Amino acid sequence: MSIVTVQLGQCGNQIGHEVFSAVCSDVHGTHGLCSRKENDSYHEACKERFFCEEESEVPVARAVLVDMEPKVISQTLSMAARSGSWRYNDRSQFCQKQGSGNNWANGYSVHGPRHKEAIMNLVQKEAEKCDRLGGFFTIMSMAGGTGSGLGAFVTQCLRDAFPTSFILNHVIWPYGTGEVIVQNYNSVLTLSHLYQSSDALLVHENDVVHQICAQRMNIKQISFRDVNRVIAHQLGSVFQPAYTAAGGSCYSRNPLGSFQDPSLYTSWINPQDAFNAWKTPRAFNKYEKSASLVSNSQFLLKPLDNVVGKAWNMFASKAYIHQYTKFGIEEEDFLDSFTALEQVISSYTSL
C-alpha cells in the first residue's frame, strides 16, 4: 500500500526530508541478516510505499510540500537532490511568498481557503499515481503558524476528498520552555481540529527527543537537525514493511507476553485486539536488532493538561485573542476547542 506524505510548514518539511533520507539510506544498505529474496521483497515494498514510479535515475518521493516561505521548500528540494540517492518531484510543491508568521488563524482561515484548490490538486495528482493508495501521512508542528493552522485545514480537506483513506497526522509537541508566545493557543486549536478529522495522531515531544540526543547519543551541542534525525529514524522504523507475528512465536523468551496482560487495557478492548506485534527479519538502518512501540495510552495526559491549562489562563485574561479574531477565529471557537480537549483528557483519565 502506498502512502502520500504531506509536509506542512518549516518543521514538517525538514522532518519529511529526514524521513525520506532515513528510508532511502535503509533501502540502499546491505544487510546480512536476511536472504537476498527477503531483501529484494523489502526493497520493493519500501519503494511502493514511499516512492513513485517515474522516469528518473533516482527514486522520487511520494510527497507534497507546502509552506508559505519559498526558502524552506527550496532548501528542502536542494538537499534531497544533492543526496544523489533520491529526490522530490519539483512539481509537487506549493509555496507563496507571504509568510503567515506564528498566527494559527491566518494559516487556517486565510491561507487555507485561498490556496485550497492548488494544494489539493497536488495531493490528487500524487494519489492518482498510486496503484494502491493506503492513506495520507501529514507532518507538522503544533506551535507554528503554517504547520498548525494550514495543516489543520488541509487535514479537513483530505478527509472530505478521501473519506475512506486513512489519515495519520504526525505532530511535533513544542518545548515546554516555549518557542512561540502563542504556542499553547496554536496547540489547542490544532489538536482539537485534528481530533475531528484524523484517524490517528502520532506525537513526538521535543523535550523527550532532546533528552535522547543528550543522554543516549551524548550530543553536546544539540541542533534541530539532530532532533529531526532521531524523529525520522523512529518514524522510518514504524513504517518499516513487516508482517504480523504470532505473539511470541518468533522470540525465544516471549518478551511480548506482558503486553497482552488484560490489566493493561480497558474492559471493552480485547487484549488480542489491543496489541499487535509486527516483525521483519531485515534490520533497519544497520541496527541488528531494534523495536518500536506505538501506544495509545495515558502518556500524553500530563503534557496535554499542561498545554490546555496554560492556554486557558491566557484566554481568561484575553491575552492575544485579537490576533485570532481579526482573521475570523471567534472566542466561541476557542471555547469549542477547550471543550473538545477537556473531553479527551477526561476520557483518557478514566482509562
Side-chain angles (χ1 to χ4, degrees):
M1 301 291 282
S2 299
I3 298 173
V4 175
T5 300
V6 183
Q7 304 174 186
L8 294 143
Q10 179 174 349
C11 177
N13 279 292
Q14 290 175 344
I15 291 178
H17 168 264
E18 296 295 345
V19 169
F20 282 109
S21 293
V23 170
C24 200
S25 172
D26 173 63
V27 169
H28 288 93
T30 55
H31 300 278
L33 300 176
C34 64
S35 68
R36 181 174 181 178
K37 182 178 179 180
E38 289 172 328
N39 192 63
D40 290 343
S41 176
Y42 178 91
H43 184 282
E44 290 304 313
C46 271
K47 188 174 181 181
E48 179 188 13
R49 180 170 292 183
F50 294 104
F51 299 96
C52 302
E53 291 286 350
E54 293 190 6
E55 294 183 2
S56 173
E57 295 181 359
V58 295
V60 179
R62 198 185 298 279
V64 174
L65 290 68
V66 181
D67 199 4
M68 294 297 107
E69 296 288 349
K71 180 180 178 182
V72 173
I73 289 185
S74 177
Q75 291 175 339
T76 304
L77 295 174
S78 177
M79 286 190 296
R82 287 201 306 268
S83 73
S85 58
W86 69 282
R87 68 175 180 85
Y88 285 107
N89 183 341
D90 293 336
R91 298 182 301 277
S92 293
Q93 43 93 11
F94 176 84
C95 56
Q96 290 286 324
K97 198 170 184 179
Q98 45 183 354
S100 60
N102 293 313
N103 195 300
W104 189 94
N106 197 10
Y108 182 84
S109 300
V110 179
H111 293 311
R114 180 181 297 167
H115 305 300
K116 174 183 176 180
E117 183 177 359
I119 294 172
M120 292 308 295
N121 280 342
L122 293 176
V123 171
Q124 184 68 40
K125 289 178 181 178
E126 287 300 317
E128 289 174 352
K129 296 176 185 177
C130 303
D131 291 330
R132 300 184 302 163
L133 175 63
F136 299 91
F137 177 50
T138 72
I139 309 176
M140 68 185 76
S141 165
M142 288 201 316
T146 303
S148 55
L150 184 58
F153 180 86
V154 169
T155 301
Q156 291 177 356
C157 294
L158 290 174
R159 173 54 66 218
D160 293 338
F162 303 91
T164 61
S165 296
F166 192 87
I167 300 176
L168 173 63
N169 290 101
H170 176 249
V171 294
I172 301 299
W173 204 279
Y175 284 101
T177 52
E179 303 169 47
V180 180
I181 197 166
V182 292
Q183 69 176 32
N184 295 306
Y185 278 161
N186 292 346
S187 298
V188 165
L189 291 166
T190 300
L191 289 173
S192 64
H193 282 74
L194 294 182
Y195 190 73
Q196 303 298 323
S197 307
S198 177
D199 290 294
L201 273 73
L202 192 59
V203 177
H204 271 103
E205 294 181 80
N206 271 337
D207 287 310
V208 173
V209 180
H210 197 94
Q211 288 181 354
I212 292 174
C213 291
Q215 299 174 9
R216 301 290 183 182
M217 303 176 70
N218 200 31
I219 301 175
K220 302 302 181 183
Q221 299 293 330
I222 301 172
S223 67
F224 275 114
R225 189 164 194 189
D226 293 322
V227 171
N228 291 343
R229 282 178 170 173
V230 171
I231 293 172
H233 178 83
Q234 293 185 357
L235 290 174
S237 64
V238 167
F239 288 121
Q240 185 184 31
Y243 53 88
T244 307
S249 62
C250 58
Y251 302 94
S252 59
R253 296 185 182 179
N254 189 16
L256 302 179
S258 57
F259 284 102
Q260 295 171 334
D261 184 346
S263 63
L264 292 176
Y265 309 103
T266 60
S267 59
W268 45 269
I269 296 182
N270 187 324
Q272 277 70 37
D273 298 326
F275 176 76
N276 285 307
W278 301 77
K279 71 163 187 172
T280 177
R282 189 181 186 279
F284 180 73
N285 263 333
K286 301 180 181 179
Y287 284 84
E288 182 176 338
K289 295 180 180 179
S290 64
S292 299
L293 176 66
V294 179
S295 65
N296 187 17
S297 66
Q298 295 179 324
F299 185 75
L300 279 174
L301 259 180
K302 184 176 180 180
L304 178 58
D305 189 57
N306 187 43
V307 164
V308 172
K310 288 181 177 179
W312 179 257
N313 288 336
M314 290 178 62
F315 181 78
S317 62
K318 306 292 185 182
Y320 303 104
I321 294 296
H322 67 282
Q323 293 188 10
Y324 295 80
T325 55
K326 69 180 181 180
F327 291 113
I329 300 298
E330 303 297 336
E331 293 188 15
E332 289 77 10
D333 297 312
F334 277 97
L335 293 174
D336 289 342
S337 294
F338 283 124
T339 300
L341 293 187
E342 284 167 358
Q343 181 58 54
V344 171
I345 292 172
S346 175
S347 298
Y348 274 81
T349 300
S350 62
L351 285 178

